[in-house]
Amino acid sequence: MPRGIAASPGIAIGPVYILEKEDFCILKYRIKKDEIGTEIKRFEDAVGQSKKQLREIEKKVREKLGKDVAYIFQAHLHILEDPLLIRETIDRIKRERVNVEMALRETYRNFPQKFALVQSEFFQERFRDVEDLGERILRNLLNHPSTSLSNLKEDIIVISSDLSPSDTASLQKDRVLGFATDIGGPTSHTAIMARSLKIPAVVGLGNITKKVKPGSLIILDGNRGIVIVNPTAAQIKKYQKRQEELVLYRKKLETLRSLPPITLDGREVELASNIAGPEEIDLAIKDKTEGVGLYRTEYLYMNRKKLPNEEEQFEAYKKIAEKIAPHSVIIRTLDLGGDKFLSHFPVPREINPFMGWRAIRLSLGKVDIFKTQLRAILRAGFYGKVKLMYPLISGVEELKKANRILSQVKQELRQEKIPFDNKIEVGAMIEVPSAAIMSDLLAKEADFFSLGTNDLIQYTLAVDRINEKVAYLYQPLHPTILRLIHQTIRAAHREDIWVGACGEMASDPLCMAILLGLGIDELSVTPRSLLEIKKVIRGITWEETQKVASHLLNLSTANQVKRHAHNRLGKKIRRILEEE
Ligand code: PEP
Ligand code: MG
């Protein structure tokens, strides 16, 4: 029974759909002089076929989703009209006397280097599009149909070596029962998206793509991180029963909706939600969230032709602010890079993307994009309670720099007489160890902190959050993590600012209780966990969590912490969750 990492709870039973993402196997062979004409003809036919497909897709997308989204396919068609890709491939066939598949692949793979020298901005901006297009022509040459997650005819479970956050964001939710991937960790953005979309998922299965066949039946258990291939009738029955129990469990939790998140001894915590888009906000509001503690705005930039302009962002932020009223929404500025990329905004490929040009670093390097977003956020603040926070702050200078740009933007809006919230609260995410260590000084420059524990764990323990091979080292309850969190909360409280936690630790009942004990003021959780977390808060005392947390700070290994936390709090939490 393939075992992986439980990434999103729930059970799915259904047929397998394999989304192939791996490279094509292409042979390189030399052709004879008199074969050159045939190879070129094959290439031209494949290009013609690709154009036809693109025109059809463009038309369909335009009808369904509008001009804006369809533009990407027009851009592909433009590239096909441009002689550069075509001529270069044909020249290569003639010059190197290689088969067309190889000539084409070498051509589009060499684009970044080649056109870095030619001042063709059109191509420089579209390396990823060119790659995509090159693959389409290759598929046509090889008679290898492409797979897509947006036009499904039946309910399926997606199996893939990997899914990018943008694949996940664009999949057809009513058809995808669940997904399982070879790679990935519990806090990869793909896993986070799956939880937000309420799609059961198991990641980091190693080689599930090699163990299943398209169409075969599987059971996917997103709570335990297992996949059962070709289950027996008894197994299907057992899991169907579990599915029913989960529905019932969820129904019972709904009775907590209108009750406040308050511990037995009266400690009130603000319980907000993380969202990536408008869909989740409805789910969170239904479960009576006390605001949005993290709005991951980068999803607004994904699966579209170009960056959203100020007006579009303003409308999106304003809508969320109005919906969430009387509570507030914390809008995080763009957190691109790491495992989140856009097809229309090429970030150079990096060897260590999580350590590279990511989040606030990218915003500070692309000031126009940053300013546009800040203007939209500030303006939305005029119409509702909006707070702003920067991701991946690593030190005081960075925070000051971002705030200087914010002041400039305010000044510009003032001059233009455009209404905005001049007193907007500005927070720093604490998700880099250096920020936690400098939190006493950062607290003087910010109105609040939000702990991004997903990244804080990754950077502190040097464990890639999306690499399943090192997932066993990804330990939220490592003593170092608790110490850094404790240090941050103390530093913030000394400066009279509040601290929230929006990383996945806040959505885990045991970790959440420890965060409470360490003095956290606000929790922002995946909407799906809202009621479960509330149930735990209402079943424990703040005093007991404080006692346990202060003991944990003196332990020396993650195993000791886990054992003690489990014995002193975990067992009780399990009982609370099982209670009627
Ligand atoms: C985090 O790092 O904990 C966080 C909330 O941000 P993200 O998961 O979007 O990187
Ligand atoms: Mg983060």
Side-chain angles (χ1 to χ4, degrees):
M1 188 189 298
R3 258 178 205 285
I5 296 163
S8 176
I11 288 162
I13 306 172
V16 164
Y17 179 98
I18 299 190
L19 183 73
E20 291 197 41
K21 302 206 96 187
E22 65 262 71
D23 272 354
F24 304 94
C25 185
I26 291 179
L27 293 178
K28 179 175 186 172
Y29 54 90
R30 209 172 147 73
I31 54 170
K32 295 192 200 112
K33 202 167 175 191
D34 62 359
E35 285 171 339
I36 291 176
T38 327
E39 285 304 276
I40 294 175
K41 171 86 176 51
R42 283 183 63 217
F43 179 56
E44 286 168 349
D45 287 349
V47 170
Q49 209 179 335
S50 304
K51 279 188 190 167
K52 198 165 155 240
Q53 290 163 349
L54 285 166
R55 276 190 213 107
E56 277 167 20
I57 298 173
E58 197 271 341
K59 184 166 170 268
K60 247 193 239 161
V61 174
R62 185 160 28 89
E63 283 165 5
K64 243 173 99 180
L65 303 168
K67 265 201 326 248
D68 259 19
V69 185
Y71 171 90
I72 186 95
F73 302 102
Q74 268 173 20
H76 283 199
L77 276 163
H78 280 305
I79 299 170
L80 279 185
E81 301 297 345
D82 194 294
L84 286 173
L85 174 71
I86 309 296
R87 200 180 51 220
E88 174 68 18
T89 306
I90 293 176
D91 282 355
R92 203 180 275 267
I93 296 173
K94 291 182 185 161
R95 196 174 60 235
E96 298 177 14
R97 290 246 220 109
V98 287
N99 53 317
V100 50
E101 291 86 353
M102 191 46 82
L104 171 64
R105 182 140 96 182
E106 299 269 296
T107 303
Y108 70 75
R109 289 217 169 149
N110 279 333
F111 256 64
Q113 291 100 317
K114 191 168 171 70
F115 292 97
L117 302 173
V118 178
Q119 289 305 307
S120 167
E121 217 176 87
F122 179 74
F123 275 101
Q124 283 191 31
E125 282 179 6
R126 286 182 173 76
F127 296 147
R128 282 174 211 271
D129 284 347
V130 169
E131 217 173 31
D132 223 32
L133 194 55
E135 279 187 13
R136 171 177 298 281
I137 306 173
L138 263 185
R139 281 181 189 280
N140 285 326
L141 275 167
L142 299 166
N143 234 340
H144 196 308
S146 72
T147 42
S148 149
L149 285 181
S150 53
N151 200 10
L152 301 164
K153 305 255 175 328
E154 54 169 351
D155 293 351
I156 45 106
I157 295 179
V158 179
I159 304 283
S160 178
S161 57
D162 185 21
L163 280 178
S164 70
S166 87
D167 285 334
T168 323
S170 69
L171 55 76
Q172 219 182 315
K173 288 181 285 293
D174 54 336
R175 287 285 187 223
V176 177
L177 303 172
F179 68 75
T181 59
D182 290 339
I183 68 166
T187 63
S188 60
H189 284 102
T190 301
I192 291 172
M193 275 307 285
R195 285 195 282 278
S196 298
L197 298 170
K198 299 213 293 188
I199 296 174
V202 181
V203 299
L205 282 149
N207 60 352
I208 186 72
T209 43
K210 303 278 178 300
K211 289 190 178 147
V212 292
K213 294 207 166 50
S216 54
L217 191 70
I218 60 166
I219 296 176
L220 184 148
D221 183 343
N223 296 64
R224 295 195 295 163
I226 54 177
V227 169
I228 303 172
V229 185
N230 296 322
T232 61
Q235 281 171 319
I236 295 176
K237 208 164 157 206
K238 182 172 132 195
Y239 274 90
Q240 278 170 338
K241 188 157 170 267
R242 250 191 225 163
Q243 267 178 325
E244 285 161 18
E245 283 164 2
L246 281 174
V247 173
L248 215 71
Y249 174 69
R250 182 66 225 161
K251 268 253 146 313
K252 282 191 192 136
L253 281 177
E254 285 171 8
T255 58
L256 292 168
R257 274 181 176 155
S258 48
L259 300 175
I262 182 166
T263 61
L264 290 173
D265 52 353
R267 163 86 171 167
E268 275 182 67
V269 210
E270 206 169 316
L271 185 54
S273 305
N274 296 345
I275 62 160
E279 268 177 32
E280 289 154 71
I281 188 128
D282 294 333
L283 181 71
I285 288 173
K286 214 159 133 199
D287 281 346
K288 297 272 193 288
T289 185
E290 295 183 309
V292 171
L294 165 65
Y295 174 15
R296 290 184 164 100
T297 55
E298 48 282 358
Y299 288 90
L300 186 65
Y301 292 61
M302 280 180 182
N303 298 321
R304 44 179 299 136
K305 60 156 189 168
K306 56 182 178 185
L307 300 171
N309 63 23
E310 178 185 326
E311 234 21 64
E312 193 182 335
Q313 290 189 57
F314 163 65
E315 288 300 335
Y317 304 153
K318 177 170 163 247
K319 199 163 162 196
I320 288 183
E322 284 172 346
K323 269 191 169 182
I324 205 71
H327 302 291
S328 58
V329 49
I330 302 180
I331 303 181
R332 174 175 75 181
T333 62
L334 201 53
D335 186 4
L336 277 186
D339 61 352
K340 289 177 287 196
F341 297 98
L342 307 177
S343 60
H344 55 81
F345 178 66
V347 174
R349 289 196 179 196
E350 297 177 338
I351 295 177
N352 286 314
F354 271 112
M355 303 282 223
W357 204 41
R358 198 198 145 184
I360 193 68
R361 302 165 183 187
L362 195 144
S363 292
L364 293 176
K366 288 271 174 194
V367 176
D368 286 354
I369 296 176
F370 190 38
K371 278 185 155 182
T372 303
Q373 186 173 33
L374 291 177
R375 281 176 68 99
I377 296 173
L378 283 164
R379 288 176 56 199
F382 187 77
Y383 300 89
K385 284 193 195 154
V386 173
K387 295 173 190 163
L388 156 72
M389 78 179 169
Y390 308 123
L392 213 79
I393 289 292
S394 63
V396 174
E397 193 41 59
E398 216 168 29
L399 179 56
K400 281 188 171 169
K401 204 165 167 188
N403 277 338
R404 272 199 299 275
I405 297 174
L406 180 68
S407 299
Q408 279 170 23
V409 172
K410 282 185 179 178
Q411 184 59 20
E412 285 161 18
L413 285 171
R414 219 171 276 125
Q415 277 164 356
E416 292 166 44
K417 299 205 169 14
I418 298 175
F420 68 96
D421 179 10
N422 188 33
K423 295 214 172 80
I424 196 162
E425 275 186 51
V426 182
M429 282 194 74
I430 304 294
E431 49 182 352
V432 181
S434 59
I437 293 165
M438 295 296 281
S439 51
D440 54 336
L441 298 179
L442 284 170
K444 295 182 197 299
E445 307 293 332
D447 298 314
F448 65 92
F449 284 157
S450 187
L451 283 155
T453 54
N454 306 335
D455 279 313
L456 188 64
I457 298 165
Q458 139 164 287
Y459 295 124
T460 307
L461 303 177
V463 183
D464 183 345
R465 66 194 262 192
I466 59 173
N467 185 341
E468 74 287 356
K469 294 201 180 62
V470 289
Y472 70 100
L473 290 170
Y474 190 93
Q475 294 166 315
L477 294 183
H478 194 286
T480 332
I481 304 300
L482 301 188
R483 285 174 186 221
L484 286 178
I485 292 175
H486 185 227
Q487 185 177 341
T488 304
I489 295 176
R490 270 200 320 193
H493 287 173
R494 263 192 230 117
E495 288 296 329
D496 259 341
I497 66 169
W498 61 269
V499 189
C502 59
E504 297 298 302
M505 272 180 88
S507 303
D508 175 277
L510 179 58
C511 294
M512 180 283 294
I514 295 166
L515 288 171
L516 262 189
L518 291 170
I520 206 86
D521 303 292
E522 180 242 30
L523 297 160
S524 190
V525 305
T526 161
R528 207 193 160 98
S529 307
L530 210 54
L531 297 178
E532 207 171 62
I533 290 296
K534 191 190 278 186
K535 189 167 188 191
V536 176
I537 295 172
R538 293 180 56 83
I540 50 179
T541 64
W542 188 33
E543 195 188 352
E544 67 187 320
T545 63
Q546 283 176 304
K547 273 195 193 140
V548 174
S550 78
H551 184 80
L552 299 181
L553 287 169
N554 295 316
L555 299 178
S556 45
T557 69
N559 276 342
Q560 284 173 2
V561 173
K562 269 191 258 173
R563 213 174 313 123
H564 188 83
H566 176 71
N567 288 335
R568 297 282 307 278
L569 272 177
K571 287 181 188 164
K572 181 167 183 184
I573 288 173
R574 194 177 294 163
R575 273 200 306 279
I576 294 169
L577 287 173
E578 280 165 5
E579 266 164 23
E580 288 288 307

